Amino acid sequence: ASLISANLTAASLREANLELADLRTAILIGTNLTEADLNGVCLRSANLSEADLHRAILTGADLSEAILNGADLSRANLAGAY
């Protein structure tokens, strides 16, 4: 799915399957991504400030230049993420 530059501020995407989605430059400030499947997702230059990524699956995700200020990445799977 292509969600380039989407504004998903404060959205509830808990347990969502966003595998391989393109979220480049997306605005995800305060978004709930708890336990979401973000396997292989592109989050390049996305703003994830204050986002809840607790237990999210971020294997192989592209986090280059992403803004993660205050994001909760506790127990998230970041294997192979860059």
Side-chain angles (χ1 to χ4, degrees), residues 43-62:
L43 288 161
R44 187 178 316 130
S45 300
N47 188 339
L48 293 148
S49 297
E50 304 297 326
D52 187 350
L53 293 150
H54 177 76
R55 297 186 66 156
I57 301 166
L58 290 152
T59 52
D62 179 355

Side-chain angles (χ1 to χ4, degrees), residues 41 43-45 48 58 61-68 78 81-82:
V41 74
L43 288 161
R44 187 178 316 130
S45 300
L48 293 148
L58 290 152
D62 179 355
L63 296 166
S64 55
E65 300 181 33
I67 300 167
L68 296 164
L78 294 160
Y82 57 99

Side-chain angles (χ1 to χ4, degrees), residues 1-2 6 9-12 14 24-25 27 33 36-37 39 43 49 53 55-57 59 64-65 68 70 77-78 80:
S2 179
T9 299
S12 180
R14 182 183 180 94
R24 277 178 286 169
T25 67
I27 302 168
L33 291 157
D37 184 350
N39 180 46
L43 288 161
S49 297
L53 293 150
R55 297 186 66 156
I57 301 166
T59 52
S64 55
E65 300 181 33
L68 296 164
N77 184 343
L78 294 160

